[in-house]
Amino acid sequence: MGTLVVENVVAGYGSGPNILKGLSLTVESGKAYCIIGPNGAGKSTLIKVIAGLLKPREGKIFFKGEDITPLRADQVLQRGLCYVPSDRSLFPDMTVKENLRMGGFVMRDTRKVDERIDELFAQFPILKEKSSQMAKTLSGGQQQLAAIARAMVLKPEMIMLDEPSLGLSPKVVQQIFGTITTLRDQGLTILLVEQNARKGLQIADMGVVLDLGTNSFEAPACDVLNDPRIQELYLGKRHQAVAAEECK
Amino acid sequence: MIQVIQILILGIALGGVYALMSSGMTLIFGVMRIVNLAHSAFIVLAAYLAFFVFKTFNIDPIVSMAFTMPVMFLVGVIYYRLLFASRADNPRFADITVLVTFATALVIEGILAFIFTGIYRSTTPTYAKTSINFGPFFIPQSQLYALIISIVLIVGLWMFMRYTRIGNAIRATMQNRNAAQVVGVNVTWISTLSFGIGLAMAGAAGSLLSFVFTFYPAKHIAWIGMIMCLVVLGGMGSLVGALVSSFLLATAAAYVNFYFGAAWSPITFYLSLFLILLFRPQGLFGKKVEG
């Protein structure tokens, strides 16, 4: 029994077509999952459905055994399941500290939120340095860090990251993935959606390939990295040797 | 010179009420992207409420705020829930709001004309007829009271937005609706509340202007143009912007009124609207609208 179970979820936007077409997925506690797949496969949609931001048309989602399908987004957060959107979604005209405070919005105890922010400042010194700057003045990498820290305010058991490398330089991507690895090593369950499939799979335990709204392939990240079909489709042939080498 | 300063005093006094009139509209736009063309109609409605309780129960219009504000808050909550809440995700939401609120304004105007007829009204508490003199200058007592109360309300709203948990959630929703949802803000609830607060401000404005201006059911047409100019000049969604532009334009209009005649003073508003749209379309304190 996984910590997060997605069962036959069908979902789409407004009156539009189904994006997810009967998707099932089981995420086990303490592991890092990387979801890859072409544009339009439903990667971001899946995360929004799990986060409670989009109601599925069919199917159910369980977190730690509880049916969270009918819950609102704030209730899902309170269960310990947080989400970092691909556009970072910071509040541009609030300071870094105010952004982190908003991360603790569903906690009513503001003193606890401030304590938690201090812990996070210790973990991410750069954010402490910038704490009174407006979020819009941060660099892309710093914004991504702030978004991750904002999700961590609630001390979640599981965190979902949508394309954390989007629009960042390779060096910064390296740092962000370092941070994600640290979170994984701290025992957090991670669900990562990544266009940069090779990088994502390298830090993941499991790889999940989405195609046309269904779960078409699920295997240990290493096997996904080394699967010739996946390499051809998503990783590019030239990465073949490298991928095999970097895999433990 | 005395005259120049006297006009400045009168302009500033009016600016306070203008700021109160536009604060609700800018809040409603900022949070929900609703262009509330009915805002001035709601203000006129509140003015009639104040007029009604003044005539019937002899309740002072300033005291009547304790009645008009909660009533208009409720009207706002119900109005938003009924007509807008379920459409907030519609890609043409902004277009819809323009039509729906304009229709609302006409409906309110019709109902008020039916009940109160088209006669010019105003409440007449004793302080509406006296002025306070200091040296060579004077300020009508009514305008002084309206100015002070307007500023107290706007500063109160600003502090609420700045320092309370709910106020922060409102600001967060204004800045990034998606992000607000991601951190667990119930944006539908926040929108409903903001609409209520916006109309409560309209309620307060109605009570105050009931003794500062005369009004009739179709008066909202003249006011919505002015309020739109103030809101756009300040930057749509910016409370501080609405405050600053209200004082700027009220003063400017007072000078135009004095030197060129009353017929020219509305031009001040529209001319400034053209200029700001030409040179700084996001307004004095506005943020460039995304998407």
Side-chain angles (χ1 to χ4, degrees), chain A residues 74 77 89 91 93 98 105, chain B residues 165 171 175 179 183-184 287:
Chain A
D74 54 316
L77 287 174
S89 277
F91 303 111
D93 293 302
E98 284 178 307
F105 179 75
Chain B
R165 181 170 175 272
R171 280 199 302 141
Q175 290 180 22
V183 297
K287 310 286 173 330

Side-chain angles (χ1 to χ4, degrees), chain A residues 205-221:
Chain A
D205 301 301
M206 296 289 287
V208 179
V209 183
L210 285 201
D211 200 9
L212 295 171
T214 55
N215 181 346
S216 70
F217 189 82
E218 186 180 343

